[in-house]
Amino acid sequence: MAVKVIDVNVGIFEENDRIAGEVRALNKKNGTLLVNIMASPGAGKTTTLLRTIDDLGDEYNVGVMEADIDATVDAERMEAAGVRAMQIHTGGECAMDASMTMAALQEFDTAGLDLIFLENVGNLVCTAEQDTGANVNVEILSLPEGDDKPLKYPLMFTVCQAVIVNKTDTRKFFKFDDEAFVQRVHELNPMAEIFFLSAKTGEGFDEWTDWLRNRISEQSGK
């Protein structure tokens, strides 16, 4: 007797892809750039976003959607800094998907925002597997995590348009081979932009924020 196998993932991913397309269409209509920020816990996502928004805040209307399994710590930090923020609880899920993103955008009332950061749940596996509908995927890696992460988590570095290596101010304490890291990323994703910076000192932020300005301009058509 032959065993019948049904691949249910096909339908699940097709539905997510459909909604992701709707998310991108909505943001294109509004001229809003949605940037999906992914990283391990402790890589410095929130600190990097706060400095980025401080650099861009006088030029653009910016909002942040903070995704976590629980807690409101990151959204509270954003609000305390004067940033418009929303906390999203994923109900135990380890990553945002397109339907969660669409629901959050509708609740957040994003019309009038030039730039929205989605700070995804902290991990390098689930977040890379789900299309949120973002226009840009960005991976933040902290220098202490090591230059071998592209070898261990290849999908993450494949789906990102930009990779940030944060905490460059810790170089004297940790061994990190910049050249090897760049080579490993570009073997997976030749078009990925790579930025070395420090959210603590501000080193390298000009290149990162200039890149974001260009993406915002492309999305808005201005």
Side-chain angles (χ1 to χ4, degrees):
M1 179 178 177
V3 176
K4 186 176 182 180
V5 178
I6 301 174
D7 186 358
V8 296
N9 290 327
V10 173
I12 293 171
F13 290 132
E14 283 182 351
E15 178 66 6
N16 189 76
D17 290 346
R18 182 187 66 78
I19 299 172
E22 292 178 356
V23 170
R24 279 186 272 271
L26 173 65
N27 285 324
K28 183 62 177 177
K29 177 183 177 182
N30 292 334
T32 304
L33 183 75
L34 177 60
V35 179
N36 179 30
I37 302 290
M38 300 176 284
S40 300
K45 295 191 301 296
T46 305
T47 305
T48 300
L49 286 183
L50 284 169
R51 183 175 281 273
T52 301
I53 294 167
D54 187 58
D55 286 353
L56 297 176
D58 291 339
E59 303 171 55
Y60 306 104
N61 293 319
V62 183
V64 178
M65 301 192 299
E66 296 284 356
D68 281 296
I69 293 174
D70 204 348
T72 60
V73 175
D74 292 337
E76 289 170 3
R77 285 185 65 187
M78 288 291 170
E79 292 281 2
V83 180
R84 184 180 168 196
M86 165 188 277
Q87 185 68 56
I88 305 165
H89 287 160
T90 62
E93 297 296 326
C94 60
M96 290 285 287
D97 62 17
S99 62
M100 294 180 193
T101 303
M102 177 62 87
L105 288 171
Q106 292 171 340
E107 182 70 23
F108 202 30
D109 188 16
T110 59
L113 292 178
D114 303 301
L115 174 63
I116 302 170
F117 289 110
L118 168 59
E119 185 175 345
N120 216 322
V121 181
N123 72 82
L124 297 180
V125 180
C126 307
T127 52
E129 296 172 344
Q130 295 284 0
D131 185 354
T132 62
N135 305 106
V136 176
N137 290 319
V138 178
E139 153 67 4
I140 300 179
L141 174 84
S142 66
L143 187 141
E145 291 177 73
D147 53 49
D148 60 351
K149 284 296 182 289
L151 302 177
K152 297 180 178 180
Y153 303 95
L155 181 60
M156 173 59 71
F157 295 90
T158 301
V159 302
C160 288
Q161 286 75 45
V163 176
I164 291 173
V165 179
N166 187 28
K167 303 186 182 181
T168 54
D169 54 287
T170 66
R171 284 190 184 280
K172 64 180 179 180
F173 303 109
F174 300 97
K175 182 180 178 181
F176 191 99
D177 189 329
D178 291 12
E179 185 176 342
F181 178 78
V182 171
Q183 180 179 346
R184 289 164 180 165
V185 171
H186 282 162
E187 284 175 354
L188 295 167
N189 185 353
M191 301 303 293
E193 297 283 347
I194 302 174
F195 303 96
F196 290 85
L197 55 79
S198 168
K200 180 179 179 180
T201 68
E203 174 193 354
F205 263 78
D206 287 346
E207 292 83 0
W208 157 239
T209 53
D210 282 347
W211 185 83
L212 270 179
R213 287 184 181 93
N214 289 331
R215 304 290 81 73
I216 295 168
S217 178
E218 290 171 0
Q219 180 73 354
S220 66
K222 298 178 182 178

